[in-house]
Amino acid sequence: MKKTIMQVLFVLVVLSAMLWVLNIGLSNIAQTNAEAAELRIMQALLPGSATFTEEPYTGTDSNIRTVYKGDSGFVVETAAQGYADEIVMLIGVNKDGEVMGLVVKDMHETLGLGAKALREWEFLAQYLYTTGEAEVGADVDALTGATVTSKAINRCVNSAVAYVTGADVGSGATSWGG
């Protein structure tokens, strides 16, 4: 009886060790895959850029989280408070200060209202080739029933463009706009 319990415990310890090793190996693969996916997204947002280097952000714009410098401009990760929660975006801006691509990376807005920003491409497409300073209602049509979400996305886009063009004076962005 005692020998059987010891055998079962031994098998459990061996299986636990195998699962632990497997978990470590798979977590590295998952991290590598996530990094590759983010690189592909950034390349799509900023055509002409193959690699990106993270740059320190020293400005005062609380909407800017991370800045990645590419060959043809920047991809700026921004975040602004929406209706339900923070909206996180990646925005590709070329050296001339034009929005080349944008994607909502994370949001938890109300289903059927603010969450429409994830599936109504016409809303986000309004920002393509703009150069910042857009206003919801004047330059950009808001999502119906989701004005707060629309304004949060607008702040994200304007912050990214301001970084690249140097309008965010404390950011360290160059005066020539890139």
Side-chain angles (χ1 to χ4, degrees):
M1 171 96 171
K2 196 173 191 178
K3 188 176 182 181
T4 305
I5 292 174
M6 293 302 282
Q7 289 174 333
V8 169
L9 285 175
F10 177 75
V11 168
L12 287 174
V13 168
V14 169
L15 286 175
S16 296
M18 288 173 51
L19 286 173
W20 180 72
V21 169
L22 187 62
N23 185 38
I24 289 173
L26 290 177
S27 68
N28 290 338
I29 292 170
Q31 171 131 4
T32 301
N33 288 344
E35 289 169 0
E38 186 154 299
L39 175 62
R40 285 191 303 273
I41 289 169
M42 288 194 287
Q43 289 169 336
L45 294 176
L46 193 62
S49 292
T51 59
F52 295 87
T53 306
E54 186 174 337
E55 291 201 340
Y57 176 68
T58 58
T60 58
D61 188 335
S62 61
N63 294 330
I64 296 178
R65 282 198 172 164
T66 312
V67 176
Y68 302 95
K69 183 175 175 54
D71 302 322
S72 60
F74 295 85
V75 172
V76 182
E77 183 175 323
T78 59
Q81 184 61 41
Y83 179 75
D85 200 2
E86 197 172 59
I87 299 171
V88 180
M89 298 184 68
L90 289 174
I91 302 158
V93 182
N94 69 15
K95 291 178 180 178
D96 295 326
E98 290 181 309
V99 175
M100 301 307 293
L102 64 163
V103 66
V104 176
K105 188 175 178 181
D106 187 34
M107 81 164 14
H108 304 282
E109 297 297 274
T110 307
L111 224 54
L113 295 173
K116 289 191 282 189
L118 291 173
R119 49 180 204 282
E120 289 190 15
W121 63 268
E122 298 94 344
F123 171 70
L124 292 178
Q126 296 177 93
Y127 290 101
L128 292 175
Y129 308 109
T130 62
T131 55
E133 300 303 317
E135 289 186 40
V136 173
D139 307 303
V140 175
D141 294 329
L143 289 165
T144 303
T147 305
V148 174
T149 302
S150 300
K151 287 182 177 182
I153 288 172
N154 197 73
R155 284 192 305 277
C156 287
V157 172
N158 288 343
S159 290
V161 171
Y163 173 80
V164 175
T165 61
D168 177 5
V169 291
S171 71
T174 60
S175 59
W176 55 266

